[in-house]
Amino acid sequence: MTTAAPHLIAAVSLSCIVTALTCNPLRAAEIDFLERFRGTWSGSGKVQREGASQPRQVTCSVTGSPAENRISAQGTCRAALIFSRPIGVDLVYDPRSGTYRGTYTGSRIGPAQLTGTRSGDAVNLRIEWPRPVNGDTQAAMVIRNDGQGMLRITVADNLTPGGPTQQTSELVLARR
């Protein structure tokens, strides 16, 4: 064996590691999923702001800007002449743990922390509100992107302390 052989083995090993990191089918699938959020989206839905209130019809527009291991979507929702609120989601994907973590903005009580995982076309997230909403600081959000130009965001919470969990918001957006 020549003295160049250890260097050749090291170069081949490094090449194998780089290929495994960049060409991993699971990582490629996640990159493809994140790209689904690129562009401008608009649509409508219903939002229930408080447990005792009736759901309000809203129209929303959002611009999605994915980056490596990240989804960022910012926009506005409006309810006729009643209110207009900036909304946004900023999620970072950790390929080691398969977990999404980030922030949701749009609640009048301030930004909420998000943590969850993807299953198929949906990212299932736990919301941690900065202050109690409907008696507690937790809710659930599902962001579903079918890859066919439809984006659905739902939030489920209990409307009374200790009460049953039910859907409190649903937005359905289409890519423009």
Side-chain angles (χ1 to χ4, degrees):
M1 184 177 273
T2 68
T3 57
H7 297 293
L8 180 59
I9 292 170
V12 170
S13 294
L14 180 59
S15 174
C16 290
I17 290 170
V18 169
T19 300
L21 290 175
T22 58
C23 298
N24 180 330
L26 294 176
R27 180 175 163 94
E30 209 62 39
I31 290 169
D32 290 345
F33 178 73
L34 295 173
E35 274 299 314
R36 292 179 183 184
F37 293 89
R38 182 175 303 285
T40 303
W41 303 79
S42 62
S44 62
K46 293 190 178 197
V47 175
Q48 188 163 356
R49 294 175 57 177
E50 299 169 353
S53 69
Q54 291 296 314
R56 295 184 190 259
Q57 185 70 32
V58 296
T59 58
C60 304
S61 62
V62 174
T63 300
S65 304
E68 184 175 350
N69 295 331
R70 181 182 208 117
I71 299 170
S72 180
Q74 310 298 318
T76 305
C77 284
R78 292 175 172 67
L81 299 174
I82 300 170
F83 72 89
S84 176
R85 183 170 316 276
I87 62 166
V89 132
D90 193 17
L91 291 172
V92 176
Y93 174 71
D94 178 0
R96 287 188 197 136
S97 66
T99 303
Y100 282 87
R101 294 185 193 284
T103 307
Y104 161 73
T105 54
S107 170
R108 61 187 170 164
I109 64 164
Q113 296 303 306
L114 301 172
T115 306
T117 57
R118 180 166 74 96
S119 177
D121 290 339
V123 180
N124 301 296
L125 300 158
R126 176 180 160 179
I127 300 173
E128 272 297 321
W129 302 114
R131 295 192 328 248
V133 173
N134 300 322
D136 65 16
T137 58
Q138 297 178 5
M141 176 184 283
V142 177
I143 301 172
R144 182 176 304 280
N145 187 323
D146 67 2
Q148 304 298 313
M150 294 299 293
L151 175 61
R152 182 181 304 269
I153 304 166
T154 58
V155 175
D157 197 1
N158 59 354
L159 296 177
T160 58
T165 300
Q166 59 191 59
Q167 186 172 299
T168 57
S169 299
E170 180 180 39
L171 302 175
V172 179
L173 308 172
R175 184 174 306 180
R176 292 192 284 172

